[in-house]
Amino acid sequence: MAEDTGQTGRAGDATAYRMRRLLETYYDLTLQISERLGVHDMSDVLMLVLVAIADLRGAPMDAELLAEKLESSRSTIERRLKPYLDSGRIAKERRGKSVVYLWSAEAGERNGAPPDMSVDMVRAVMTMVFDIAND
């Protein structure tokens, strides 16, 4: 029985280590995105990431869906989106009866983000995977 506890303990330590590393990488990527987009409110970072993901998937979200995903009200989402619309970081477009929000890659470039910041993000994730695999 003592051997099983030792093995389970070691497996638990490895799991805790991997979890910690994944959380650290998530945090680092969030900071990178925040810095490159010039956004200081982490809630806004998440909102902009959702706008970008939806747009890049070809299924942009409206304020109602963003509010649902972010567990907020539509009016709060629209208020939080306004500065990013005004600055051109995101755009809106009427599609049928809905107004959807679109990612503006050009705005990221104007704010000092490289045109393809995904390369740095992939590099950070691959470094983390490599480090965890070799520990």
Side-chain angles (χ1 to χ4, degrees):
M1 191 71 138
E3 283 182 52
D4 290 340
T5 303
Q7 290 175 352
T8 303
R10 279 180 261 151
D13 290 347
T15 300
Y17 173 76
R18 284 193 298 275
M19 177 62 91
R20 180 183 59 87
R21 293 288 295 169
L22 288 169
L23 291 170
E24 287 171 347
T25 301
Y26 170 77
Y27 179 73
D28 288 344
L29 289 173
T30 302
L31 289 179
Q32 278 184 40
I33 292 168
S34 171
E35 181 180 309
R36 290 170 189 244
L37 297 180
V39 179
H40 303 290
D41 184 327
M42 289 302 142
S43 297
D44 285 359
V45 171
L46 183 56
M47 180 179 65
L48 293 177
V49 166
L50 285 174
V51 168
I53 289 169
D55 186 22
L56 294 170
R57 277 188 182 156
M61 289 190 222
D62 62 11
E64 191 74 33
L65 187 53
L66 280 166
E68 181 183 319
K69 297 279 185 191
L70 295 169
E71 298 180 357
S72 188
S73 70
R74 179 186 178 122
S75 61
T76 298
I77 295 300
E78 288 173 341
R79 187 183 76 252
R80 287 177 47 206
L81 285 169
K82 186 170 179 3
Y84 303 110
L85 289 164
D86 292 346
S87 70
R89 292 183 198 182
I90 60 171
K92 66 181 178 180
E93 179 180 291
R94 180 162 293 286
R95 296 207 179 160
K97 294 181 180 182
S98 297
V99 173
V100 296
Y101 296 95
L102 308 170
W103 177 248
S104 175
E106 295 82 25
E109 290 175 37
R110 284 194 304 272
N111 292 324
D116 187 3
M117 71 182 198
S118 63
V119 171
D120 290 335
M121 287 189 269
V122 169
R123 190 172 291 129
V125 170
M126 292 310 295
T127 298
M128 181 267 309
V129 169
F130 183 76
D131 288 348
I132 291 173
N134 288 314
D135 281 340

